[in-house]
Amino acid sequence: LASIAQQYGVDAQTVVAVWGVESNYGQNTGGRDIVESLATLSCMGRRQSFFSGEFVAALKILQAGDFERDLFKGSWAGAFGQTQFMPSTFLRLAVDGDGDGKRNLITNPVDALASTANFLKRAGWRAGQTWGFEVKLNKGTPSVTGRKSMRGMSYWVSQGLSRVDGSNLVGGDIGNGTDAALLLPAGDNGPAFLLLHNFKAVYSYNASESYGLAIAHLSDRLRGQGVFATPWPTDDAGLGRAEKREVQTLLIARGHDIGEVDGALGSKSQAAIKLEQQRLGHEATGRAGQKLLAA
């Protein structure tokens, strides 16, 4: 891990966090035949073109001979190995971490961890910088929120944000000009996070804010930090992806311009949810739970 961190400029805790979330540190890598899964997905479903490309990539991997055919097992969607690469990602970014001439992400954790570090480096990881941190909203919720709404740290200072321990946002390698985005994954009453550039690299591994926070938080715990200070709301159960799409469909039917129905409740959806919560007499938090869907 020390060698990998030095070579790729990605700290060991972040690399290990990906390993932990993706496969429970190599214990759960999936048992479905990758070639069969991708052949099936190439012929059915809504993403046939994508999976056809992955199917061809899988055949090229077997042709290269980095590992035996009977080891080529993983998830139903084609991801495999201890850090769950798609075949096309393997062809682009997998590396031989221990110098044995093979890139075996399935049974060789060194290759898997080095490949993950290479992925994050190529995704723009900035050595020595954190992914972000939890903050307090001392002046209420700013008008600008969402993972894509990056602003300089001086802007967030002007909005009254502070770290959860009460200290200043700026310090160390984080100057006033450092860009960050405010993420409220559970609405105004849940935890709040300022996301820095490195969160983008983690997000690119799997395009999910919840996934990115899981990686980020586990990496912090591995550094000895504590749990998030602000708990997630527990009085209103969350929504699955299909239910989130249903909420978006209902929002569009009521005239809200939120973009496409994709099951990802971004800043436009959250703003529309607040308006609907106000109309329904609910607390306007911007978080969609079972109570909102039922109403």
Side-chain angles (χ1 to χ4, degrees):
L1 285 168
S3 175
I4 289 169
Q6 182 177 15
Q7 181 174 355
Y8 296 99
V10 182
D11 62 276
Q13 290 86 352
T14 297
V15 175
V16 172
V18 174
W19 190 29
V21 169
E22 288 290 356
S23 71
N24 194 17
Y25 311 104
Q27 296 184 70
N28 304 320
T29 58
R32 293 181 178 271
D33 186 279
I34 294 297
V35 175
E36 291 183 4
S37 292
L38 291 173
T40 301
L41 292 167
S42 297
C43 300
M44 62 184 297
R46 61 185 178 88
R47 302 176 66 195
Q48 293 180 28
S49 177
F50 168 76
F51 286 114
S52 293
E54 295 297 329
F55 174 69
V56 173
L59 298 181
K60 290 180 179 179
I61 291 172
L62 287 177
Q63 188 177 45
D66 285 291
F67 45 80
E68 293 78 12
R69 170 70 178 87
D70 60 358
L71 291 178
F72 204 16
K73 291 180 170 59
S75 77
W76 65 270
F80 70 98
Q82 297 194 23
T83 51
Q84 295 289 286
F85 274 26
M86 292 297 290
S88 62
T89 305
F90 179 97
L91 292 178
R92 287 188 299 111
L93 299 173
V95 297
D96 173 14
D98 60 0
D100 67 353
K102 296 183 181 296
R103 300 170 298 172
N104 178 1
L105 276 59
I106 301 173
T107 60
N108 187 331
V110 179
D111 287 355
L113 295 168
S115 297
T116 292
N118 186 48
F119 181 108
L120 293 171
K121 176 185 177 181
R122 295 278 291 274
W125 185 270
R126 295 177 181 175
Q129 190 178 91
T130 182
W131 63 270
F133 43 85
E134 189 179 358
V135 295
K136 291 193 296 186
L137 309 179
N138 298 309
K139 295 182 179 179
T141 305
S143 59
V144 177
T145 62
R147 177 179 50 83
K148 297 180 180 179
S149 299
M150 305 289 284
R151 299 288 189 276
M153 201 62 68
S154 58
Y155 171 82
W156 299 116
V157 171
S158 73
Q159 296 297 303
L161 272 63
S162 67
R163 299 181 188 241
V164 289
D165 62 2
S167 62
N168 295 329
L169 298 181
V170 179
D173 64 339
I174 300 175
N176 281 321
T178 303
D179 286 340
L182 178 63
L183 182 66
L184 304 172
D188 294 2
N189 292 336
F193 305 95
L194 273 187
L195 308 179
L196 305 182
H197 179 83
N198 280 347
F199 189 84
K200 294 181 179 180
V202 176
Y203 183 86
S204 69
Y205 207 97
N206 184 337
S208 161
E209 291 173 353
S210 298
Y211 173 91
L213 284 174
I215 297 295
H217 189 40
L218 179 54
S219 70
D220 281 348
R221 298 302 306 278
L222 292 170
R223 295 183 191 94
Q225 298 181 27
V227 299
F228 293 140
T230 306
W232 259 257
T234 57
D235 63 339
D236 184 12
L239 303 175
R241 181 59 65 91
E243 291 171 318
K244 290 178 181 178
R245 286 196 289 265
E246 185 177 356
V247 166
Q248 289 178 312
T249 301
L250 293 168
L251 291 173
I252 292 173
R254 291 197 169 275
H256 298 286
D257 179 14
I258 62 169
E260 65 176 322
V261 175
D262 58 5
L265 300 178
S267 56
K268 289 184 177 180
S269 292
Q270 291 170 13
I273 287 167
K274 283 188 177 183
L275 292 174
E276 287 301 311
Q277 286 172 327
Q278 291 172 354
R279 182 183 67 82
L280 293 164
H282 295 187
E283 184 180 5
T285 64
R287 175 184 181 269
Q290 294 294 336
K291 292 179 180 178
L292 176 72
L293 178 58

